[in-house]
Amino acid sequence: MNSEADLIVPDWPAPDCVWAMSTTRSGGFSLPPWDSFNLGGHVGDDPAHVEKNRLRLAELTHLPRSDFRFMDQVHGTDIEEFPGPERVQADGCVTSQARVPCLVMTADCLPVLFCNRDGNRVAAAHAGWRGLCQGVLECAVARFDDPASVMAWLGPAIGPRQFEVGAEVRERFVERDPEAARAFVPGQSRGRFLADLYQLARQRLQTAGVTQISGGYWCTFSDADRFFSYRRDGVSGRMASLIFIDPSR
């Protein structure tokens, strides 16, 4: 195993019964280029190494491995109620049941974790630019009774100085919300823009009624020692961001 797991624990005002974290690339069993804590089973890594990493994740959370569901993420807006089937195609999950982990995997896309003020409902969403533009975060917030009671944490994603996109991406966001233009600045190439996923997510969440928003200050692309990045490396592992309710805490 490659060193101890380097875990990111959210600094946010969640209730004590809510347990959340993001993994990094350290602390697992995979070999390069997936070294070492790769949790993605669809990226070409040895399946035996992936399963050892998933078992390690279960140990870190003190939850049974059988309770974990790793969704097939498709850059859409579907939010699945957990516990659910063994295999599900969705880009978010939500639960009110204790000790049921909601988990998304990323390697540049934005993971967003949610809980309500009472700590009796949690969710996780995978927000690449497509899902973010189509409303995956709004769909997650809609699965709570009161958006004003929801708090969100923005996990590790590609930063605003590295995420260059075409003009058509900017146009799609601005068509939905003119304020989105503030999250884009001209890139180095003509007709290209640097996009701030964190700012776009904050705008969408605030419009949906969420005012308590934390996190959002990493760059997976720039920190190769700590994070996987698909855009940087092409062949890359996947990190997990997860959240669950633990009444014993």
Side-chain angles (χ1 to χ4, degrees), residues 6 9-11 24 51 66 87 92 129 140 183 193 199 208 218-219 221:
D6 171 24
V9 178
D11 181 12
T24 61
E51 182 56 27
S66 59
R87 291 291 299 274
W129 76 260
F193 293 87
Q199 185 173 352
W218 296 273
C219 180
F221 185 99

Side-chain angles (χ1 to χ4, degrees), residues 112 114 132 137-138 141 147-148 150-152 154 177 179 182 198-214:
V112 182
F114 301 86
L132 185 58
L137 299 187
E138 292 93 326
V141 173
V150 175
M151 58 190 74
L154 313 182
D177 180 6
E179 281 296 307
R182 297 164 60 89
Y198 290 130
Q199 185 173 352
L200 289 166
R202 291 188 185 99
Q203 289 174 348
R204 289 302 190 89
L205 289 167
Q206 288 166 355
T207 300
V210 178
T211 58
Q212 185 66 63
I213 306 169
S214 306

Side-chain angles (χ1 to χ4, degrees), residues 2-3 24-39 43 45 49 53 224-229 232-233 235-239:
N2 184 284
S3 72
T24 61
R25 68 182 304 162
S26 300
F29 299 89
S30 296
L31 302 177
W34 305 279
D35 50 319
S36 64
F37 202 5
N38 167 46
L39 294 157
V43 295
D45 193 5
H49 292 163
N53 289 336
D225 290 336
R226 197 176 196 198
F227 299 117
F228 293 119
S229 169
R232 181 188 64 229
D233 299 328
V235 178
S236 171
R238 296 294 186 271
M239 302 165 293

Side-chain angles (χ1 to χ4, degrees), residues 35 74 92 126 128-129 157 163 176 189 193:
D35 50 319
V74 293
H126 160 252
W129 76 260
F163 188 39
R176 287 177 171 259
S189 303
F193 293 87

Side-chain angles (χ1 to χ4, degrees), residues 73-126:
Q73 300 170 181
V74 293
H75 297 274
T77 61
D78 286 347
I79 308 294
E80 181 76 14
E81 186 80 29
F82 274 12
E86 184 69 29
R87 291 291 299 274
V88 62
Q89 193 174 84
D91 284 273
C93 43
V94 60
T95 190
S96 295
Q97 294 195 27
R99 300 180 64 79
V100 172
C102 287
L103 178 150
V104 292
M105 291 185 293
T106 58
D108 283 334
C109 292
L110 173 63
V112 182
L113 302 180
F114 301 86
C115 72
N116 61 3
R117 193 175 295 116
D118 293 333
N120 57 18
R121 193 154 175 82
V122 298
H126 160 252

